[in-house]
Amino acid sequence: MDGQMQSRQLQQQDSRHINPRIIKYGLIYFFIIFIITSTLIGFGAYNILAYPNVYAGVYINDVYVGGETRESIAAKLIEKYQSALESKTITITSKGKIKQFSCKEIDAAYDIDEAISQAFNVGRVGNPIKRLFTISSIKKNNVIIPLEIQADMEKIKSKIKELADQVDIPVKEYETKVEKDRLKIINGTHGEKINLSQAADTVLETIMSGDSDSIQLIAEIIKPKDIDVDELYRQICVEPANAYYQVKDYRINIVPHITGRRFNKEEAKKIIDSHQSEGEEFFIPLTVVQPEIVKEELELKLFRDRLSQYTTSFNVNYVERSHNILLAANEINGIVLGPGDVFSYNEVVGERTPELGYQNAKVYVGGKIIDGIGGGICQVSSTLYNAVLFSDLEVINRVNHSMTVAYVPIGQDAAVAYGLLDFKFRNNTAWPIKLVSKLKGGQVTFEIWGTNEVIGKSVSIENIIVQTIPFTVKYVDDPNLEEGKTVIQQKGSNGFVVDTYKIIKQDGKVISKKLISRSTYRPLEQIEARGTKKVVQATEPKTNDQNNQKPEQNQQPKTPEQSQQPQGSPEKPQVQEITEPAAPNAI
């Protein structure tokens, strides 16, 4: 024991006295070996990570592509797969019908580029350590990348639709028909339809799997919609609606009535539930509800009564004036006014211009007769004014001429001038009215048609002259006229102040008499020429014929109104169509 203990003590003393140089060189040697080993490992890892081709252990489908470049892989896959795919024929069938097409027709092709990209990505995702682990692992556990097929799905659907058009049976929904007081219903029948989207997916999956070149497509059964009682009620049943009229732009449109229909929902549901067979026909009783006003009754009431008629005469030989009367009257013919609507003469007839066909005819300007566009249209407005008066319509705007006219009684004329004077009235009845113009044999007539709800009512007009304004005479010396002779160059006419009354009678009894207008007509000055030319005395005695010869007088030119009067008729005052300020106006 003592010997052993001494030996151990000696060994411990020796170890404490190891040469330090040995330790130093040992450490240097260790670090050199470590650096060399690490460098070799790092260089090897770098070479592995920088490898340009597909790593070992990678397959695309059943083609080994480890160590291959992109170009070599593409060449292998095209040779083995793509050429065969393009020549492959697909057959789709359904209900005994057949449709064939090649994969090339639907642009079917392997997605080679995508498969190659996936192959190259193996071992190239993650940090270097993860990559090295993956690269090492796939050598033992191979990676297989599927080679997908792509195709134009719309072209596949188009091919399927060609087959579907032969086998599809459209679903037939239930039908309804109203037959007087009952509703006829025919139940729908089911249809059969190939679902194009689902069928296209099936075709593509079959091509990709390569299991078969023939595909059986099953048509889906499409059932008709069930009859919903509430929906059926909304479709068939309606509330009654009266016929009515609409007046727009002086024209009338009649909207037809609607006959109401109803049925009992509970009763209808029981009938429907008891008739469920496809294509079965059955009936549901209807309740018919008539509206208060039907179209036929409304049409009978509209324009059924002639409310008034008024006619004036004109000279048909005065062609231009007659033409203007025709144009203006035709513009008014057929005009319809709804209750409360206002008629404007200038708005309806429009501006009287040559472009619209109006011609020159005699008009009055400042007390003189001259040619002007639209002469004669005031006779149209005055004729219509009188028809309005006798219809008892509401006159809104009317202006008398500055002097009396020949074609209507004094106080019953209506002057118009575009942009200056207008004739307006309102339909104050409860129904539409229609204006009808007629021209025949030198007469213009206006009729007003409406619905007379007051039987036995009549209208008359009374004009009372409250003042007569005598005309004055103006003398003008005429050196070309022999002394002692006188010629009337312009015949004068008296002026008047006239009150016009409208008298309403009911069953022959006066119920109202109302002053509707006061018309003031100014007098027309008479102009007489007096001769101032000295008479030369003849040396020879005058014969009896010469002594008895009366002075010759010039004839006064006639107004357009006077030219219309038949020979022998009493003279009328000359006509001027416009009040001050003087402006052209048609007469």
Side-chain angles (χ1 to χ4, degrees):
M1 292 288 292
D2 294 337
Q4 291 178 351
M5 291 178 63
Q6 291 177 355
S7 175
R8 290 175 180 171
Q9 290 175 354
L10 290 172
Q11 289 177 357
Q12 291 175 357
Q13 291 176 357
D14 290 340
S15 63
R16 293 192 202 101
H17 294 86
I18 294 175
N19 192 335
R21 296 181 63 188
I22 295 175
I23 295 174
K24 177 180 179 181
Y25 286 115
L27 290 173
I28 293 171
Y29 175 77
F30 173 78
F31 281 116
I32 292 173
I33 295 300
F34 177 78
I35 291 171
I36 292 173
T37 302
S38 299
T39 302
L40 291 175
I41 292 173
F43 182 75
Y46 173 79
N47 286 337
I48 293 173
L49 296 176
Y51 186 62
N53 298 337
V54 177
Y55 290 113
V58 179
Y59 288 79
I60 296 179
N61 271 14
D62 57 354
V63 176
Y64 183 71
V65 294
E68 299 284 347
T69 64
R70 289 181 179 273
E71 291 76 12
S72 62
I73 296 173
K76 285 184 177 182
L77 296 179
I78 291 173
E79 180 180 359
K80 183 170 184 179
Y81 295 109
Q82 186 62 37
S83 299
L85 179 64
E86 290 181 354
S87 60
K88 188 175 184 179
T89 299
I90 302 299
T91 301
I92 55 176
T93 62
S94 183
K95 297 168 66 174
K97 302 296 182 180
I98 299 174
K99 175 66 182 177
Q100 290 184 322
F101 54 90
S102 67
C103 289
K104 187 175 182 180
E105 291 179 74
I106 60 173
D107 296 339
Y110 287 101
D111 196 352
I112 292 175
D113 290 341
E114 176 62 21
I116 293 175
S117 294
Q118 291 184 31
F120 270 87
N121 281 338
V122 175
R124 289 180 169 83
V125 178
N127 58 52
I129 295 175
K130 183 178 180 180
R131 289 182 58 192
L132 290 171
F133 178 79
T134 302
I135 293 169
S136 174
S137 175
I138 62 176
K139 291 181 180 179
K140 298 178 181 179
N141 304 309
N142 298 328
V143 174
I144 300 175
I145 297 172
L147 186 59
E148 302 287 347
I149 295 177
Q150 290 184 330
D152 189 326
M153 297 300 286
E154 293 303 317
K155 290 186 177 180
I156 295 177
K157 291 179 183 178
S158 176
K159 298 296 181 182
I160 297 172
K161 189 176 185 306
E162 293 179 21
L163 176 65
D165 289 342
Q166 302 179 59
V167 301
D168 281 356
I169 300 174
V171 64
K172 187 176 182 180
E173 302 294 348
Y174 71 87
E175 298 178 5
T176 61
K177 183 180 180 181
V178 176
E179 296 181 348
K180 295 184 179 180
D181 59 350
R182 66 178 186 173
L183 174 63
K184 177 181 178 181
I185 299 179
I186 303 175
N187 283 334
T189 56
H190 76 275
E192 298 181 14
K193 183 178 180 63
I194 294 176
N195 188 307
L196 296 182
S197 296
Q198 293 181 2
D201 291 339
T202 300
V203 169
L204 185 59
E205 290 171 2
T206 304
I207 294 173
M208 291 175 60
S209 66
D211 294 338
S212 174
D213 295 339
S214 180
I215 305 167
Q216 177 73 25
L217 300 179
I218 306 299
E220 298 178 353
I221 301 298
I222 310 297
K223 292 184 177 181
K225 292 189 301 183
D226 293 332
I227 301 176
D228 182 88
V229 174
D230 291 331
E231 178 63 26
L232 184 65
Y233 193 92
R234 285 191 292 270
Q235 291 177 1
I236 302 301
C237 297
V238 293
E239 291 300 313
N242 291 330
Y244 63 96
Y245 60 83
Q246 296 173 320
V247 178
K248 184 179 180 181
D249 298 329
Y250 299 122
R251 294 294 179 263
I252 190 168
N253 175 50
I254 298 177
V255 179
H257 68 274
I258 298 175
T259 301
R261 291 191 299 267
R262 301 177 187 138
F263 63 73
N264 186 292
K265 290 185 180 181
E266 293 182 1
E267 180 183 2
K269 191 174 187 312
K270 291 179 181 179
I271 296 173
I272 292 170
D273 290 343
S274 63
H275 297 82
Q276 293 293 315
S277 300
E278 288 194 353
E280 185 178 1
E281 180 181 306
F282 58 96
F283 299 90
I284 293 175
L286 295 175
T287 300
V288 178
V289 184
Q290 291 293 344
E292 295 179 0
I293 303 174
V294 299
K295 180 183 177 183
E296 294 75 15
E297 293 177 352
L298 180 61
E299 289 175 335
L300 290 175
K301 288 185 178 181
L302 289 172
F303 316 124
R304 72 181 182 189
D305 303 311
R306 186 169 66 187
L307 304 180
S308 68
Q309 172 181 304
Y310 199 84
T311 301
T312 61
S313 299
F314 59 92
N315 184 1
V316 294
N317 295 322
Y318 193 170
V319 177
E320 294 82 4
R321 188 174 187 278
S322 300
H323 176 77
N324 293 336
I325 290 174
L326 174 64
L327 286 183
N330 283 342
E331 289 294 328
I332 301 172
N333 187 40
I335 289 292
V336 175
L337 300 176
D341 287 352
V342 174
F343 172 91
S344 165
Y345 187 92
N346 285 339
E347 179 182 310
V348 173
V349 176
E351 187 174 3
R352 280 68 83 178
T353 64
E355 291 75 15
L356 295 177
Y358 287 93
Q359 299 179 8
N360 278 320
K362 297 301 180 182
V363 297
Y364 285 91
V365 177
K368 296 181 180 180
I369 302 173
I370 64 172
D371 285 334
I373 294 295
I377 54 94
C378 278
Q379 182 166 349
V380 177
S381 60
S382 296
T383 306
L384 178 59
Y385 171 58
N386 279 272
V388 168
L389 289 180
F390 287 102
S391 296
D392 196 23
L393 299 176
E394 179 187 354
V395 177
I396 296 176
N397 189 68
R398 169 262 176 188
V399 179
N400 62 276
H401 294 80
S402 61
M403 297 181 186
T404 58
V405 295
Y407 40 76
V408 292
I410 188 170
Q412 292 178 222
D413 57 309
V416 290
Y418 192 83
L420 294 174
L421 303 176
D422 199 3
F423 166 51
K424 295 182 179 181
F425 66 91
R426 177 182 284 109
N427 174 13
N428 56 350
T429 75
W431 290 85
I433 60 172
K434 180 186 289 186
L435 310 181
V436 177
S437 66
K438 298 178 180 179
L439 277 82
K440 184 178 181 181
Q443 289 186 325
V444 55
T445 300
F446 272 102
E447 298 175 347
I448 299 180
W449 291 82
T451 305
N452 185 7
E453 295 182 309
V454 184
I455 306 302
K457 175 184 175 181
S458 63
V459 178
S460 60
I461 302 298
E462 180 180 348
N463 299 297
I464 299 177
I465 298 176
V466 297
Q467 183 182 356
T468 301
I469 307 170
F471 66 85
T472 59
V473 179
K474 179 181 179 181
Y475 297 96
V476 179
D477 292 336
D478 187 348
N480 297 316
L481 187 64
E482 291 182 1
E483 189 175 21
K485 291 184 179 181
T486 302
V487 175
I488 298 176
Q489 294 182 341
Q490 176 175 286
K491 188 175 182 179
S493 62
N494 292 330
F496 301 94
V497 176
V498 181
D499 285 346
T500 300
Y501 291 86
K502 181 193 292 185
I503 302 169
I504 307 296
K505 294 180 181 180
Q506 182 65 47
D507 298 324
K509 181 180 179 181
V510 176
I511 60 175
S512 71
K513 181 177 181 180
K514 181 180 178 181
L515 175 67
I516 60 173
S517 66
R518 168 163 284 190
S519 304
T520 300
Y521 303 95
R522 68 185 183 183
L524 178 64
E525 183 181 55
Q526 180 162 305
I527 301 174
E528 296 183 8
R530 297 181 299 189
T532 60
K533 183 179 179 181
K534 297 296 182 180
V535 179
V536 178
Q537 296 295 329
T539 57
E540 296 181 2
K542 295 181 180 180
T543 65
N544 291 334
D545 291 340
Q546 288 175 330
N547 291 332
N548 295 331
Q549 185 176 1
K550 295 182 180 179
E552 185 177 329
Q553 294 184 347
N554 295 332
Q555 295 295 320
Q556 176 191 1
K558 293 182 179 181
T559 69
E561 286 71 22
Q562 293 168 334
S563 65
Q564 297 176 46
Q565 299 176 22
Q567 294 295 324
S569 63
E571 291 184 350
K572 297 280 186 177
Q574 279 190 296
V575 180
Q576 178 176 318
E577 294 275 313
I578 189 71
T579 59
E580 297 295 343
N585 198 354
I587 60 175

